[in-house]
Amino acid sequence: MSSEGFQYRALYDYKKEREEDIDLHVGDMLLVSKGALLALGCSNGAEERPSEIGWLPGFNETTQEKGDFPGTYVEFIGRKRMSPPTPKPRPPRPASAASVRTDSESEGLVLPDLAEQFGPPDTSPPLLSRLMEAIETKGAESLGVYRSLTGAGLDTRQLADADLEQLEVSSLCDGVFRFLQDLPGPILPSSLQAEMIQAVQEVRDLEECAQVLRGVSSSPACPAQYGLTLLSVVRHLARLCLHSSRNQLSPRSLAESFSPPLFRQAAGSDSSLDPLVQVLEVLITSELNMIQAAPGMCPHNIWYRLNVEEICIWQ
């Protein structure tokens, strides 16, 4: 079984500035999956103009590294078929009260582990990528995007078979929520969540804090698919914040909505004070800043460039 991808060649040397970036050398050959570009909201044909995309997530076939690289530093070569890697056996994960749900809550449906749903160079599960792309295409500027989330409506089996273009934005948003709820556990194990909480409590500079958080998400303590999925959701939410003047979304409001399904906090916790909300807010804000500062993009909504002291108000 193979999937479609796109091949690029590096035109310039690039020294990575973030942990999740990759170095480029003139002549390096890079591979980006079609699913990764769809997750970025790219339409058909956009792959041929990488300078207009900004940052691309992919695989350096020359150096065998995976990560992000600037589209302004590469040229499009052509299409290439890719064979996904065989999923690795998933490691044991300690059970937690927050990750245990009754049959009535899940309606008997639990998705496969993330490590079984996709593999690099893809950056998130195919269904989740399709849902996020559809939301960004149809409802990025809508006041109804990610409002009154319940996770009700179509279940994940129905969503997988549905024509997403025919669904309302509210149904697509509920679909994202339902997908996250139907995962067998939180997006990151509780031990890594504790490391993230410690980072936002101790690191005062926002971008430095975000870099630490990204490092935690790529910890060898769990399969790469977990951290990749988290960062894909973060990028999706940051792209929606680019339209905040119309959709009235902010990193804070999205962090409060998405922290429970991503991290599975205990029921009844005060989301406005939960440090995991702060973790997600820092990640979304930092990603928004990077999108705005990407080559060829004009910065706006500059008020999001916050100091982490302004975010960590619970201390």
Side-chain angles (χ1 to χ4, degrees):
M1 181 178 179
S2 61
S3 59
E4 187 174 15
F6 307 107
Q7 200 168 37
Y8 299 87
R9 178 167 49 229
L11 298 173
Y12 313 101
D13 290 342
Y14 170 71
K15 183 68 173 177
K16 69 178 184 179
E17 300 173 351
R18 304 179 300 163
E19 183 65 29
E20 62 268 29
D21 292 351
I22 53 176
D23 293 327
L24 299 180
H25 304 284
V26 175
D28 282 359
M29 301 301 294
L30 300 116
L31 188 62
V32 178
S33 72
K34 183 176 181 179
L37 293 188
L38 290 176
L40 291 175
C42 298
S43 58
N44 288 335
E47 69 277 357
E48 299 181 13
R49 303 182 300 277
S51 61
E52 298 178 9
I53 298 175
W55 294 90
L56 288 77
F59 178 70
N60 189 326
E61 297 179 290
T62 305
T63 64
Q64 298 296 296
E65 293 182 299
K66 61 180 176 68
D68 297 344
F69 60 92
T72 50
Y73 281 59
V74 301
E75 64 177 345
F76 176 73
I77 299 299
R79 298 173 182 269
K80 183 175 181 179
R81 303 299 295 180
M82 303 184 307
S83 296
T86 302
K88 297 180 180 179
R90 65 189 189 192
R93 183 171 52 207
S96 65
S99 65
V100 175
R101 292 179 293 145
T102 65
D103 289 340
S104 61
E105 291 173 315
S106 64
E107 296 183 2
L109 178 62
V110 177
L111 291 172
D113 191 274
L114 286 170
E116 300 171 8
Q117 293 192 44
F118 75 105
D122 288 339
T123 58
S124 64
L127 176 57
L128 182 60
S129 294
R130 290 174 53 220
L131 286 166
M132 294 190 296
E133 179 202 6
I135 290 168
E136 291 175 31
T137 300
K138 298 181 64 173
E141 299 184 355
S142 169
L143 279 173
V145 66
Y146 289 128
R147 297 294 200 279
S148 303
L149 292 169
T150 64
L154 299 179
D155 64 31
T156 45
R157 291 194 192 95
Q158 294 170 318
L159 287 167
D161 296 331
D163 181 357
L164 301 187
E165 293 183 1
Q166 302 302 315
L167 297 182
E168 298 291 334
V169 172
S170 59
S171 296
L172 295 168
C173 293
D174 268 331
V176 170
F177 230 60
R178 183 64 177 263
F179 182 93
L180 297 174
Q181 289 175 332
D182 285 345
L183 290 174
I187 204 75
L188 292 176
S190 57
S191 58
L192 296 187
Q193 294 182 29
E195 290 184 38
M196 287 185 159
I197 291 172
Q198 182 178 2
V200 294
Q201 290 174 339
E202 296 180 356
V203 182
R204 287 298 175 183
D205 179 77
L206 184 142
E207 295 302 340
E208 182 181 348
C209 181
Q211 184 172 354
V212 173
L213 295 177
R214 295 187 193 101
V216 173
S217 71
S218 61
S219 168
C222 67
Q225 288 88 340
Y226 286 84
L228 288 171
T229 301
L230 172 63
L231 295 181
S232 292
V233 173
V234 165
R235 287 173 180 147
H236 166 63
L237 300 179
R239 287 193 291 270
L240 293 179
C241 286
L242 288 170
H243 307 278
S244 62
S245 61
R246 293 182 179 273
N247 60 31
Q248 302 299 305
L249 293 175
S250 69
R252 179 68 179 195
S253 64
L254 288 170
E256 291 180 347
S257 295
F258 275 84
S259 182
L262 285 172
F263 298 122
R264 305 281 174 89
Q265 296 108 310
S269 62
D270 186 344
S271 63
S272 65
L273 298 177
D274 195 308
L276 287 170
V277 172
Q278 316 298 330
V279 166
L280 197 53
E281 183 181 8
V282 168
L283 285 170
I284 296 171
T285 302
S286 175
E287 188 66 35
L288 177 60
N289 289 343
M290 286 188 288
I291 293 173
Q292 293 169 335
M297 295 191 68
C298 297
H300 61 289
N301 289 344
I302 200 70
W303 64 273
Y304 282 137
R305 296 178 179 273
L306 305 173
N307 183 283
V308 77
E309 284 193 63
E310 299 172 28
I311 292 177
C312 300
I313 57 175
W314 77 94
Q315 291 188 329

